Amino acid sequence: MIKLIKKNAIKNNKIFRIISLLLIFFSLSFLLFSCKDTTYSITFETNGGNHIENIYYTRKTSSFFLPNPIKEGSTFLGWYDNPKFNPKLTMQVLKG
């Protein structure tokens, strides 16, 4: 009876170690891949104004202001994310 209990305890201990190692491996893999810095891009439609190159940034990029387009006979009022020009978006992209 004592040998049987000891044998099961050793077998259960090995299973526990294997499961623990697998959990550690998957946890570290998840952390490694989730910390990858994503690159975002901003594309500008100036509706006939001068061409503005795309801006690429990550969460580590310093804060920056969006450029103002130039179009003869027009006054730039701000950036929008839809063709109805509502609501007005911010002019600055903050770090993070």
Side-chain angles (χ1 to χ4, degrees):
M1 184 82 160
I2 295 176
K3 281 187 173 183
L4 182 62
I5 292 172
K6 190 173 181 179
K7 190 173 186 179
N8 284 338
I10 292 171
K11 184 178 178 182
N12 288 339
N13 191 22
K14 283 183 179 181
I15 292 172
F16 177 76
R17 284 184 189 171
I18 291 170
I19 291 172
S20 296
L21 288 173
L22 286 172
L23 285 173
I24 291 170
F25 172 76
F26 287 117
S27 297
L28 290 174
S29 297
F30 175 77
L31 287 174
L32 177 67
F33 290 110
S34 66
C35 291
K36 183 180 175 187
D37 215 8
T38 303
T39 300
Y40 301 94
S41 67
I42 301 174
T43 305
F44 300 95
E45 171 56 58
T46 60
N47 293 328
N50 66 308
H51 174 75
I52 298 176
E53 293 291 328
N54 293 351
I55 294 177
Y56 298 93
Y57 67 98
T58 68
R59 59 191 172 112
K60 294 179 184 177
T61 302
S62 299
S63 298
F64 61 92
F65 286 94
L66 298 175
N68 293 338
I70 299 169
K71 182 177 179 182
E72 194 170 324
S74 298
T75 302
F76 180 69
L77 299 177
W79 288 109
Y80 301 84
D81 66 351
N82 63 76
K84 292 185 179 184
F85 305 110
N86 193 355
K88 185 176 178 180
L89 297 178
T90 184
M91 298 294 290
Q92 184 179 19
V93 177
L94 301 176
K95 181 178 181 175

